Amino acid sequence: MKITQRHIKFTIAVVLLTTFLTWFFYAHEILPKPIRAATALIETPVAIASGLSYCFKLGIPVYDSLVAVIFANLIASIVLFFIAEKIMRIKKRKQNESFNN
C-alpha cells in the first residue's frame, strides 16, 4: 500500500484531535463553571460511549478508564475527519461549478 498525502493528513488530524479531546476531558473539571457549561459538548464522545455501555449492559466504566476515553475519542475523531472531508469536497465542487458557469 502506498502512503499518500491523504493518509498522512488523516493520521495527523486523528491523532491531534484524539489527543485534544482526551486532554480536554481531564482538564474540563478544573475550568470555571460558566466555561464548563459552554464547552460541555466537547465531551460528547465519552458521554455517548458511557451511555452505550450502560444501555447494552457492557459494564465498562467509561469515565474511570483512560483506555475507554481514548478509544471513544479516537472513534469520534475518525468520524469527524470524514465528515469534515466530505463537507470540504462539497464546497470545492460547488465553487468549481459556480466558477465554470
Side-chain angles (χ1 to χ4, degrees):
M1 179 175 94
K2 183 178 177 184
I3 296 177
T4 63
Q5 186 177 8
R6 183 174 180 266
H7 289 104
I8 294 170
K9 285 181 183 178
F10 171 77
T11 303
I12 291 171
V14 168
V15 167
L16 289 176
L17 188 55
T18 301
T19 302
F20 170 75
L21 289 173
T22 303
W23 168 82
F24 191 80
F25 175 78
Y26 291 104
H28 188 257
E29 291 301 315
I30 63 171
L31 297 174
K33 285 188 180 185
I35 295 174
R36 281 195 343 225
T39 59
L41 286 176
I42 296 173
E43 296 182 19
T44 301
V46 178
I48 291 171
S50 179
L52 289 172
S53 174
Y54 176 79
C55 182
F56 293 116
K57 298 179 177 34
L58 300 176
I60 301 169
V62 176
Y63 288 108
D64 299 330
S65 170
L66 176 62
V67 173
V69 170
I70 292 172
F71 191 67
N73 288 330
L74 176 66
I75 293 171
S77 297
I78 292 169
V79 170
L80 287 172
F81 177 85
F82 286 120
I83 290 171
E85 187 178 53
K86 183 73 171 176
I87 289 170
M88 289 190 316
R89 283 183 187 169
I90 291 170
K91 281 186 174 184
K92 189 174 182 179
R93 189 178 323 132
K94 285 183 180 183
Q95 284 178 348
N96 288 339
E97 289 173 2
S98 65
F99 181 72
N100 291 333
N101 289 334

